[in-house]
Amino acid sequence: MILVTGGAGFIGANFVLDWLARKGEPVVNLDKLTYAGNLASLESLKDDPRHVFVQGDIGERAMVEGLLAQHKPRAVINFAAESHVDRSIHGPADFIETNVVGTFNLLEAVRAYWGGMAGEAKENFRFLHVSTDEVYGSLEKNDPAFSETTPYAPNSPYSASKAASDHLVRAYHHTYGLPVLTTNCSNNYGPYQFPEKLIPLVIHNAISGRPLPIYGDGSNIRDWLFVTDHCLAIMAVLEKGRLGETYNIGGNNEKTNLEVVKTICSILDELHPGSPVTPHEKLITFVKDRPGHDARYAINSSKIQQELGWHPQESFETGIHKTVTWYLENAGWVDNVVSGEYRNWVQANYASR
C-alpha cells in the first residue's frame, strides 16, 4: 500500500492510473478536491478495490495521522500543491497555506508514523516529494540547463512556496533522518490537465473558435515533459533513488510558447477541420505579459538517466499529438471541468489583457 496526496489533480491522477496499471499495488488517494482536483479523471477506478479515495487536506495533521495508522503505507508520494503561477499572483495566500504549511503538517504526521515503525518496514519506508523546476528561477537563452545543484531563485509566489516546501523536506532528512526523495520536473502536459494551463487552454479555445492568448511575444521557453514519462520517472526514483537526493526530470523538449501553440494549431487543422475558425493559427492573440514572467526553463536530467536508467519515451511531437487526440476524444471530461469556477478564473486573468 502507498499513500498518494493530490492524487485527483493532473499529475497525481495520471500517476495513480499508471501505478495501478503497471504495479497493481493498492493506493490510498488523499485529495482536497479544490478546483483542480477532479474525480472524473479517476472514473475508471470507481469500483476498483485497490483504490481508496479520501477527501481531505494534507494540512489536517490528525486526519493524516489516522490514515497512516489505518492503512500503514510503505511510502508517501506528495503531489498535493497549489500549482498555477497566475493564480499565485492573484491570490498568494492559498499557496503559502497548502505548499508551505500543508507540507509541514504532512511531514510532521509522516515523521511520527515513521518514528513508530521498526525493522525492515522502517528501513524501506520512503517519502517522495514532487516539486518543480520553477524553484530555480529563470535562464537566459544560452545558460546551461538547471541541475540539482543550481541555486534556488524563485520568482513567483508559487515557485517561492514550492521552494520552501523543498527546503522543509530536505531539513527533515538532515535533522530527523526521515527517508526522503525529491523530484523537480519541467512543464508537464498530457491527458486530464486542467484547461487553465497553456496546452489544454489552447486546444479548448481553438476548437471553439475563441482567441488563443499568448503572453508577450510568445518567446518564453519551456522544457516540455509528457506526463506518463514523469510518472515513470517518479516510480524509478521511489524504487531506486538514493535517500536525501534530488532528481531533476525533464523532457529534453525546449520550445517557445509560440512554437507550442502553432504546433497544436497544425495538428488541429488535420484532426479537427470543422472548427469555427480555420486555419487555427488565425486565432492566435498576443496579450499583456504576466508580472515576473520567467524567460526560460530547461532541465538537465542526466543524473536520473545515469543513476536510475530513466529516459523520456515521448518526443514533443509524439506526446503533443497524443495529447490533442485525447482532448478531442474526451470532450465530455473537458465540458465537465469547464465550470463556472473556471470561467470566472479566465475572466479574472485575461479580461484586462
Side-chain angles (χ1 to χ4, degrees):
M1 173 75 73
I2 64 170
L3 171 63
V4 173
T5 68
F10 163 46
I11 303 174
N14 275 281
F15 179 84
V16 169
L17 292 167
D18 286 348
W19 177 269
L20 289 174
R22 296 171 189 272
K23 304 290 187 181
E25 184 177 2
V27 173
V28 175
N29 184 350
L30 174 64
D31 196 290
K32 190 177 179 180
L33 292 183
T34 61
Y35 71 94
N38 187 357
L39 285 179
S41 303
L42 302 165
E43 179 68 18
S44 63
L45 303 178
K46 67 177 182 178
D47 297 318
D48 192 329
R50 301 172 301 168
H51 179 243
V52 178
F53 180 79
V54 179
Q55 183 174 356
D57 187 340
I58 59 170
E60 298 174 15
R61 192 184 309 179
M63 182 271 299
V64 175
E65 289 172 344
L67 284 179
L68 294 169
Q70 177 184 356
H71 295 284
K72 297 179 172 55
R74 69 173 183 90
V76 174
I77 298 94
N78 180 33
F79 293 96
E82 294 283 348
S83 64
H84 193 233
V85 173
D86 289 324
R87 283 183 182 263
S88 80
I89 294 169
H90 286 279
D94 288 343
F95 289 73
I96 303 304
E97 189 62 35
T98 296
N99 299 351
V100 183
V101 180
T103 299
F104 163 71
N105 282 307
L106 178 63
L107 283 166
E108 281 288 274
V110 170
R111 180 167 72 97
Y113 168 69
W114 172 74
M117 301 173 79
E120 188 175 335
K122 185 171 186 176
E123 182 179 341
N124 292 333
F125 179 80
R126 298 289 184 269
F127 178 91
L128 195 157
H129 176 64
V130 180
S131 191
T132 172
D133 59 358
E134 296 191 38
V135 298
Y136 299 121
S138 182
L139 295 170
E140 297 298 327
K141 184 176 182 180
N142 295 318
D143 286 345
F146 300 132
S147 72
E148 289 80 1
T149 58
T150 300
Y152 276 28
N155 291 321
S156 71
Y158 161 59
S159 56
S161 67
K162 286 298 290 183
S165 70
D166 293 5
H167 291 321
L168 282 171
V169 171
R170 173 185 168 86
Y172 270 62
H173 175 67
H174 286 275
T175 302
Y176 304 113
L178 190 69
V180 308
L181 301 153
T182 298
T183 59
N184 293 84
C185 68
S186 58
N187 279 39
N188 278 223
Y189 68 100
Y192 301 113
Q193 189 170 28
F194 194 77
E196 67 185 2
K197 302 285 188 171
L198 177 64
I199 288 175
L201 173 69
V202 166
I203 297 170
H204 180 68
N205 279 15
I207 62 178
S208 304
R210 291 197 290 270
L212 309 181
I214 299 179
Y215 287 139
D217 61 2
S219 63
N220 301 79
I221 296 171
R222 300 293 181 261
D223 173 23
W224 293 95
L225 174 67
F226 190 63
V227 67
T228 301
D229 281 333
H230 186 195
C231 293
L232 291 173
I234 291 170
M235 293 180 201
V237 172
L238 182 64
E239 180 182 354
K240 299 179 288 186
R242 291 184 289 127
L243 291 184
E245 291 292 316
T246 294
Y247 292 90
N248 281 355
I249 305 168
N252 299 330
N253 291 302
E254 287 190 57
K255 304 286 182 184
T256 68
N257 289 344
L258 186 57
E259 286 179 295
V260 170
V261 174
K262 286 187 173 182
T263 300
I264 295 170
C265 288
S266 178
I267 295 171
L268 287 173
D269 289 344
E270 173 193 349
L271 299 182
H272 204 270
S275 295
V277 177
T278 56
H280 293 86
E281 273 194 34
K282 291 167 64 176
L283 295 167
I284 290 176
T285 304
F286 295 98
V287 300
K288 182 182 177 182
D289 210 350
R290 71 183 179 204
H293 197 178
D294 290 336
R296 172 176 168 246
Y297 304 144
I299 281 280
N300 178 346
S301 56
S302 59
K303 179 177 177 178
I304 188 174
Q305 294 186 32
Q306 293 169 6
E307 287 193 14
L308 307 184
W310 171 88
H311 301 272
Q313 302 300 304
E314 300 288 346
S315 66
F316 183 74
E317 290 69 28
T318 61
I320 195 63
H321 202 280
K322 288 181 178 180
T323 300
V324 173
T325 300
W326 186 88
Y327 279 96
L328 292 177
E329 293 177 349
N330 291 272
W333 182 90
V334 177
D335 290 342
N336 287 334
V337 169
V338 183
S339 63
E341 160 69 23
Y342 172 68
R343 289 194 298 272
N344 291 341
W345 157 247
V346 171
Q347 177 68 18
N349 194 58
Y350 289 109
S352 63
R353 298 180 189 274

